[in-house]
Amino acid sequence: AQKITQTQPGMFVQEKEAVTLDCTYDTSDPSYGLFWYKQPSSGEMIFLIYQGSYDQQNATEGRYSLNFQKARKSANLVISASQLGDSAMYFCAMREGERGAQKLVFGQGTRLTINP
Amino acid sequence: EADIYQTPRYLVIGTGKKITLECSQTMGHDKMYWYQQDPGMELHLIHYSYGVNSTEKGDLSSESTVSRIRTEHFPLTLESARPSHTSQYLCASGKLGRDEQFFGPGTRLTVL
């Protein structure tokens, strides 16, 4: 069964608009962490934001925020005021078990294109 | 800012050749990882290590092998490359007790 599901293969957004990238996850472990990474065409993976399962507030990092809805098992990434440089693949990932456990499981990714 | 390096960035090689993909980090991280990623697809963990002389296989079966003789170095070796090994290989590292993984720039391998 897929542990991380990203249902949007591609998204097209006008520059300066906000965009929400969807991510749902599946785990029975009460302790887990959720991540978003950005992968430009150059191929490297850039860490954007992290949300722990016990965190009371939604994580924010500059223009990035994570809309964490625990009951729905969703962890959507919101990018405010999108820029041309935001065009990239975006991956949601999950760590199961206690913090510092070894492995991350990645979703299939969403290709975001920002139009001028 | 993470300091993790991979060489080569691009490699085109013939079938049957032995190759080693290099990964080094200067942050003193104990944990290191190798992921395989086909174009436009998700990452799959193929190897990981949580310290010197420790290596484990990941979720995706791979014909490659790894070694961890020094903390900063985690090379991946393919004894006999085949076209099915064509992919991008991403190395990552992280601190013990922390979740964040910092990635290198990747090696794009093409086996003809």
Side-chain angles (χ1 to χ4, degrees), chain A residues 14-15 25 39 47 51 53 87 89 92 95 99 104 107:
Chain A
Q14 285 300 119
E15 190 180 7
Y25 58 92
Q39 187 177 43
F47 167 72
Q51 179 86 43
S53 57
S87 293
M89 283 287 286
C92 181
R95 175 268 300 159
R99 190 177 175 90
L104 296 182

Side-chain angles (χ1 to χ4, degrees), chain B residues 7 17 25 43 62 69 86 111:
Chain B
T7 56
K17 299 291 185 184
Q25 49 93 8
L43 281 71
S62 173
I69 299 171
T86 295
V111 184

Side-chain angles (χ1 to χ4, degrees), chain A residues 22-82:
Chain A
D22 295 341
C23 173
T24 57
Y25 58 92
D26 181 25
T27 182
S28 56
D29 200 312
S31 177
Y32 54 90
L34 297 155
F35 302 77
W36 277 92
Y37 283 86
K38 173 183 178 182
Q39 187 177 43
S41 57
S42 51
E44 74 270 29
M45 295 284 283
I46 302 167
F47 167 72
L48 296 178
I49 198 166
Y50 166 82
Q51 179 86 43
S53 57
Y54 295 122
D55 293 344
Q56 295 296 314
Q57 295 191 332
N58 287 347
T60 60
E61 289 285 348
R63 292 186 300 113
Y64 304 109
S65 60
L66 201 151
N67 184 2
F68 181 44
Q69 300 197 27
K70 200 168 182 176
R72 293 185 180 181
K73 293 190 174 179
S74 75
N76 298 340
L77 177 71
V78 180
I79 306 174
S80 63
S82 58

Side-chain angles (χ1 to χ4, degrees), chain B residues 36-53:
Chain B
Q36 184 174 342
Q37 183 189 28
D38 291 332
M41 304 294 285
E42 66 262 49
L43 281 71
H44 292 286
L45 181 68
I46 52 174
H47 298 283
Y48 63 99
S49 164
Y50 37 85
V52 171
N53 294 326

